[in-house]
Amino acid sequence: MRFGQNGTVAANDPVEQEKDVKFTSLLANLVIFHSALDIADVVRELQAEGRSVDPLDLAQVSPCLTEHIKRFGEYSTHELGITPEAYDAHLDVDFSMLGDDEAAA
């Protein structure tokens, strides 16, 4: 699927423009969610190796990575019908030490 026409608005139809905005938002949210799952997997791997994960360090990691994103690139949709495995949102990291100041940021 090709989206964005290399950053050019191809139609002057408000309905089509709204679809483009919604698709862009959906795509951005999916990328952020996927990055968050990847980060959680790495944290679990580190813990399985016996390493401790400092919540202060982990709080600095952002799932909003953009180096691997082609904003107006080509995205395959052939896997849309495949149901993904359930994910485990729990991380065995105690974030209570961050306190209210960091949690609000």
Side-chain angles (χ1 to χ4, degrees):
M1 175 190 303
R2 185 105 179 134
F3 176 74
Q5 296 83 29
N6 289 323
T8 304
V9 176
N12 199 16
D13 180 7
V15 173
E16 292 301 315
Q17 291 174 350
E18 185 176 359
K19 285 181 190 177
D20 287 349
V21 169
K22 287 181 179 181
F23 184 80
T24 300
S25 295
L26 175 63
L27 183 60
N29 289 334
L30 290 171
V31 169
I32 291 168
F33 181 66
H34 190 275
S35 296
L37 293 178
D38 289 345
I39 291 167
D41 287 343
V42 169
V43 169
R44 287 188 192 99
E45 287 175 18
L46 290 171
Q47 290 173 329
E49 293 173 3
R51 297 182 179 202
S52 95
V53 176
D54 186 342
L56 293 172
D57 292 336
L58 192 55
Q60 301 299 315
V61 178
S62 172
C64 299
L65 307 174
T66 58
E67 300 87 43
H68 61 293
I69 306 302
K70 292 179 3 181
R71 183 172 179 202
F72 299 111
E74 295 179 10
Y75 293 91
S76 172
T77 57
H78 73 280
E79 296 178 342
L80 288 177
I82 300 172
T83 303
E85 296 178 20
Y87 69 95
D88 181 10
H90 175 74
L91 284 179
D92 192 20
V93 177
D94 181 16
F95 289 103
S96 64
M97 69 180 299
L98 295 179
D100 292 332
D101 293 339
E102 288 83 6

